[in-house]
Every structure is written in structure tokens, then in C-alpha cells.
Amino acid sequence: MKQILIVGGGYAGFYTAWKLEKHLRAGEAEVTIVDPLPYMQYLPFLPEVAAGSIEPRHAVVSRRRHLKSTREISGKVVGINHATKTATIELVADGSQQEFAYDEIVITTGSVSRTFPIPGIADNAIGMKTIEEAAAVRDRLVGNFERAASLPKGSALRDRLLTVTVVGGGFAGIETISELRDFATRLLSRYPEIDFAETKFHLIEAMGRIMPEVSAELAEWVVKDQTRRGVNIHLDTQLQDATDGNIKLSTGEEYESDLIVWTAGVMPRPFLRGTDLPIGPRGHVIGSPTLQVTTEEGVVVPGAWTAGDTSQTPDISSTPGPGGFCVPNAQHAVRQGKLLAKNIVASLRGEGLTEYNHKNAGAVAGLGLNTGVFQSGNFKLKGYFAWLAHRFYHGLAIPTWERKLRVFNGWIGHFFLNRDGVGIEANKTPRASFEEFAARPKPPVSE
């Protein structure tokens, strides 16, 4: 059988494998996914996970549960030699490496947070790119409220604990700051020791506007709405230093913040530059509208495919993205993964390939409970109905009915019981209590 290797089990990788299982005939090919995590993460839900609106486990999809015939390898690909059609896999279990021979390779490694060498960011900030980060942000926010409530008002540490900074004014940053601000506002009813004015939320954006995916009018409405809700939005402002949580802005403003969330951009995984695959100027694998890997001159690389955030795929739609390429978002990754599976099967059978030409479904964002924005073409919504559109769209977009039901059931439960405001920071050190009280052998008595 042909060996199909899928590198990365996120949106594009999961959907490629899921649809390959549907389209492949018995014995036609064996599909293998390599990923260090056993689940696909639904990234649009991360801000709601951080705000306690969605249980972290409900925002991920178990591949082993839903991929019936795909082989799973718990590891990460650290090298690709397409000339010999071999990939080097580093196993999670023991760090050992093994070579994997393939006939067709699918590069769907997704993206990681792109940061700049700003002092203090690497040591103090946290991203909003994984489910683990979103859950940690929620736990930290609730834990900071708990600690601050015990400190005297006006103390420097109390002010620091109650100050949150989000860097980046794209969709991820706006949704994150909005959800956290709304979550904190609702937490105040459980912490009578803390006043609203003590909780400070800052969004730092280097450009002169937020959310470039929507119209300037809608973006300005979001700025006014969030400012009214207690978010300080700093436009045309750069973060210059975050050493030890001391925030220094290009405007000269300084303040201390215990929770710093970085959402200012993503990039492909750096290891791809060390492979013999054609790589674009920003580290993406060069792709074609048929999702085949190509050289810069457009020559197809046989047996290599790419999709999702890691790919430089031409956007041939009527509304192309910046630079003429598909932007890195879930909408493209899901659709490309589905088409990629069809094209791989067509290629194996000597049939014609289909080009990826999408119709933009619009942009939608949740801005805390009961408010959001939606835009599709010239049609715009804001407020409650846009928030409903956000929830229904993403609630239905997460793959598998099992996960859809878990998400909707959680939202229904929160409607009657309110959001879950419990933070479990202690899960970072689960053995601490056991170690503190565990009996140990007495030291030997010296003669």
C-alpha cells in the first residue's frame, strides 16, 4: 500500500485524515499522523476557555476516537528529506528518533506564536495559541483575584495582580482581552473586597487600528464598546520592555502587570527551513491552488502536499488575502484539509485535481457574554445578535457531533448556572501536597 504521512494533527491534518478514511478504498493506502499531542485543538474557542465559558477538554477533539483506521505516532517530525522520501520522527516517549519512509507527505504543521526580542517577553508572557495556555490564563486570573483580595488596597502587589496586558490587536487579541475583561467583571460579585476600578486591562497594538479583517467603522465601534467596559486600548503603541512584569510602552507610559498575554502574530514551525522542501520568504511551505507543494517557479514537487497555517497557498478567490495568499485561519485550514484529501485520492488514481477557490464566510468575533461583531461583505452585525452568530457558527464548526454536543451543553449550563469561576493553579504542581507530607526513610545512623 501507498504510505501517506501527515505531519501535524491540527485542523488541516485532522480533516485530511478524516476525509481520507472516507474516500480511500480498502488497501489503497495507509495513513499515518505524527503529532506530539493526541488531540486537535479548536483554536477559536481559546478566548472562551480562558474566560471559563468552555471546559478546556471540550475545545479539543480526540483523534483516536474519531479516526478509525489512521495510524497515530506520538512524536514530532524533526527532519524531512523529500529526495529520499524519508522523515525523521522524534518520539515523545523516550526522545529517540526513527526514520519513516513515505510515498506521499502532507505538511500541516500549523503555526506557533511569533514574538520579537522584547526584553521580558520570553520570560514573563504567555501565548494564546494552545489549549494549555488558555487554561493557564484562566487559572492565573482567578488565582490573582484570590491573592489580591487578601492584600491591602493600594498596595503595589495588589495593583500588579489585578492588571492584565494583552499584546496584539487582531482577532485573537481583541477576543482575548474582551473575554477576560468580561470574566473579571463578573468575578467581582464573588470578591467584594475588590472594586471594579482596581481591575485594569490593557490592549497594546502597534498599528493605528484593530481587527483589520473587518471594516474601520466596525473596528472603531469595538474600541468604543470595550473602552466603555473598562479596557484601555493603546493604538499606535509598541511594547518596549516587560522585564519582571514592568511594562514600558513607546508612549512613555509604565505600569506593572502580572498577566501578560501575547497574541501579536504567528509563524510556521522553524524546522521546516532545514528541510529540502521549497520554503517561502516567511518560512511557509510553498503551495499551489491544488495544495501541491511547488518550487518558487511553480514546478510541482511530486508526492508533497501542504495546507493550513504552514502553507503559502495562493488565494484565487474574488477577495484574496494580503499578498495574494490565504490568511492563516481556521476557515481556510478546515476547507483546505477536506479538499486535500480529495486531491490526494485523485492523484493516486490518476484523476484530475481541484483548485482551492473559497467563498469568504465572513468574520465573526465574540467580545464577552452577549456581545460580538460579525461582517460578511457589506453586511454587518454588532452586539447580541452578532454574539449569537459567533456561538452558533463556531459551535457547529467544531468537528464531530460529540464535541458539538459537549460545547452546546456547556453553554446551556452556564446560562442557568453562570460561568465556572474556579481556577486550579495547583494542577501545575500536583505532587506538592503529597511530597510535603510523605514519610521518608530515616537517614542511617553513623557509628
Side-chain angles (χ1 to χ4, degrees), residues 155-221:
S155 70
L157 179 56
R158 179 178 171 120
D159 291 343
R160 175 190 172 103
L161 290 170
L162 296 176
T163 300
V164 175
T165 300
V166 175
V167 185
F171 258 61
I174 288 297
E175 288 191 299
T176 297
I177 195 74
S178 301
E179 291 285 356
L180 292 179
R181 171 70 271 185
D182 186 73
F183 184 37
T185 299
R186 295 170 192 273
L187 277 177
L188 290 173
S189 63
R190 306 175 190 177
Y191 292 89
E193 306 93 336
I194 301 174
D195 298 328
F196 177 86
E198 294 182 274
T199 59
K200 298 179 177 63
F201 286 73
H202 297 267
L203 178 83
I204 302 170
E205 170 53 46
M207 297 178 62
R209 59 161 294 178
I210 61 170
M211 304 172 74
E213 300 89 344
V214 301
S215 68
E217 176 191 357
L218 207 54
E220 290 173 6
W221 180 86

Side-chain angles (χ1 to χ4, degrees), residues 203-410:
L203 178 83
I204 302 170
E205 170 53 46
M207 297 178 62
R209 59 161 294 178
I210 61 170
M211 304 172 74
E213 300 89 344
V214 301
S215 68
E217 176 191 357
L218 207 54
E220 290 173 6
W221 180 86
V222 173
V223 170
K224 293 178 182 178
D225 178 70
Q226 289 304 307
T227 300
R228 178 178 62 84
R229 295 172 187 271
V231 177
N232 299 303
I233 298 180
H234 307 263
L235 298 178
D236 290 314
T237 304
Q238 295 180 337
L239 175 62
Q240 295 185 326
D241 201 316
T243 303
D244 297 326
N246 184 26
I247 303 296
K248 296 181 180 179
L249 305 180
S250 58
T251 58
E253 184 178 352
E254 293 187 28
Y255 62 89
E256 289 198 358
S257 178
D258 189 73
L259 180 55
I260 306 169
V261 183
W262 182 273
T263 67
V266 296
M267 66 179 184
R269 295 184 182 272
F271 91 92
L272 291 168
R273 291 186 180 273
T275 70
D276 61 351
L277 295 170
I279 303 298
R282 301 183 65 182
H284 300 82
V285 178
I286 300 175
S288 67
T290 56
L291 307 179
Q292 294 169 286
V293 175
T294 68
T295 65
E296 292 183 2
E297 295 76 26
V299 179
V300 171
V301 178
W305 309 80
T306 186
D309 289 9
T310 199
S311 68
Q312 182 179 292
T313 303
D315 190 344
I316 61 174
S317 69
S318 58
T319 55
F325 300 109
C326 296
V327 297
N329 63 24
Q331 190 177 134
H332 284 305
V334 169
R335 294 176 176 184
Q336 288 174 3
K338 294 177 180 179
L339 177 62
L340 183 50
K342 292 181 179 179
N343 277 353
I344 290 175
V345 173
S347 175
L348 293 177
R349 298 173 185 169
E351 300 169 355
L353 307 184
T354 303
E355 292 187 333
Y356 177 69
N357 190 350
H358 71 99
K359 181 180 179 182
N360 195 327
V364 62
L367 305 173
L369 287 180
N370 302 322
T371 188
V373 291
F374 169 78
Q375 180 172 340
S376 180
N378 293 323
F379 179 73
K380 304 180 186 71
L381 275 179
K382 52 192 177 184
Y384 180 72
F385 290 106
W387 174 77
L388 284 180
H390 168 266
R391 285 216 157 174
F392 275 101
Y393 174 80
H394 285 298
L396 294 175
I398 189 171
T400 81
W401 282 104
E402 173 247 341
R403 270 317 186 244
K404 298 181 202 298
L405 290 174
R406 291 183 189 276
V407 168
F408 278 106
N409 283 339

Side-chain angles (χ1 to χ4, degrees), residues 24 28 34 38 91 95 102 121 130 159 165 192 225 267 346 353 358 368 426:
L24 286 170
E28 191 170 14
V34 180
L91 300 181
Y102 61 82
I121 284 297
T130 69
D159 291 343
T165 300
D225 178 70
M267 66 179 184
L353 307 184
H358 71 99

Side-chain angles (χ1 to χ4, degrees), residues 8-22:
Y11 293 115
F14 174 83
Y15 271 94
T16 300
W18 206 19
K19 297 305 178 181
L20 279 173
E21 290 190 347
K22 176 182 178 181

